[in-house]
């Protein structure tokens, strides 16, 4: 039997304080899954870690200048993202010739481990791209853990490249990536409303 469309559609929307616990939990779980892969047997998804990210995301949701999105499926939040415009953009300063291009920083993008590889991260990324282009940003940056090869491969597929202006030190733990927003969207045009699921194929 083909499931009802409303139970299979992935929806990306603005995050609210009602989503705080779910976002903090999936964030802690995603970090734990990554660290467990490198350090098996070490506890990472602890109450203290969940409390840490609960406080961090509460701060994000309290800030008007830091938009936050969440991906929801089956009524459950399965992914979240947040980004921060540069200070000049927040102030509304007009760009001057020769100055840096309007930049936005992708601070967080996390998907619950059970939903890795299902398109949740790409849907959040597409929603961010749409918002950034609409707001007039021409460049985006992010920091990714050097050893998080899964995340680095994800961003590479979406067109992100090492930032030539921020080369890592030999002992760096993070790598700065940049994305040019002035050309065609790396992952194609924004998707339309989800249609009914395909059955029998």
């Amino acid at each position: 039997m083909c499931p009802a469309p409303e139970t299979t559609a992935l929806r990306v929307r603005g995050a609210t304080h009602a989503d705080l616990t779910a976002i903090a939990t999936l964030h802690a779980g995603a970090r734990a899954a990554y660290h467990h892969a490198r350090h098996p047997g070490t506890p990472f998804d602890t109450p203290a870690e969940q409390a840490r990210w609960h406080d961090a995301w509460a701060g994000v949701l309290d800030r008007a200048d830091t938009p936050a999105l969440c991906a929801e499926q089956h009524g459950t939040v399965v992914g979240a993202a947040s980004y921060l415009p540069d200070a000049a953009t927040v102030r509304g300063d007009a760009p001057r010739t020769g100055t840096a291009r309007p930049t936005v920083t992708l601070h967080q993008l996390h998907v619950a481990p059970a939903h890795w590889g299902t398109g949740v991260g790409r849907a959040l990324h597409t929603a961010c791209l749409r918002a950034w282009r609409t707001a007039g940003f021409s460049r985006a940056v992010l920091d990714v853990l050097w050893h998080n090869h899964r995340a680095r491969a994800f961003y590479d597929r979406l067109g992100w490249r090492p930032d030539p202006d921020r080369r890592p030190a030999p002992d760096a733990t993070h790598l700065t990536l940049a994305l040019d927003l002035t050309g065609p969207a790396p992952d194609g045009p924004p998707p339309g409303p989800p249609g009914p699921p395909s059955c029998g194929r």
Side-chain angles (χ1 to χ4, degrees):
M1 178 181 294
C2 186
E6 62 270 21
T7 65
T8 59
L10 178 68
R11 182 168 71 109
V12 177
R13 57 172 174 79
T16 70
H17 272 278
D19 306 307
L20 177 56
T21 298
I23 291 174
T25 299
L26 73 86
H27 185 161
R31 284 179 58 86
Y34 159 69
H35 286 298
H36 276 310
R38 296 194 66 214
H39 307 285
T42 305
F44 288 102
D45 195 1
T46 62
E49 190 72 0
Q50 291 196 22
R52 172 191 176 192
W53 295 114
H54 186 281
D55 292 345
W57 278 97
V60 168
L61 295 173
D62 281 337
R63 292 182 59 166
D65 63 342
T66 309
L69 303 172
C70 65
E72 185 181 63
Q73 191 170 43
H74 301 273
T76 300
V77 175
V78 295
S82 70
Y83 54 89
L84 180 67
D86 65 6
T89 304
V90 172
R91 292 194 305 267
D93 296 351
R96 299 189 299 273
T97 302
T99 60
R101 297 179 295 168
T103 300
V104 61
T105 300
L106 179 60
H107 275 292
Q108 308 285 358
L109 197 160
H110 302 282
V111 175
H115 294 267
W116 285 357
T118 65
V120 174
R122 182 178 285 267
L124 282 165
H125 186 268
T126 297
C128 288
L129 279 181
R130 184 187 298 118
W132 298 342
R133 291 172 183 272
T134 299
F137 294 111
S138 58
R139 184 172 182 267
V141 295
L142 63 84
D143 282 344
V144 62
L145 283 167
W146 185 271
H147 295 290
N148 192 342
H149 299 293
R150 182 187 184 91
R152 289 176 60 177
F154 169 78
Y155 290 117
D156 183 73
R157 289 193 298 270
L158 295 173
W160 295 77
R161 299 292 181 264
D163 187 348
D165 297 328
R166 298 175 63 182
R167 297 186 181 279
D171 59 348
T173 58
H174 289 73
L175 176 67
T176 300
L177 303 179
L179 179 66
D180 186 351
L181 301 174
T182 60
D187 52 357
S198 175
C199 303
R201 292 184 183 272

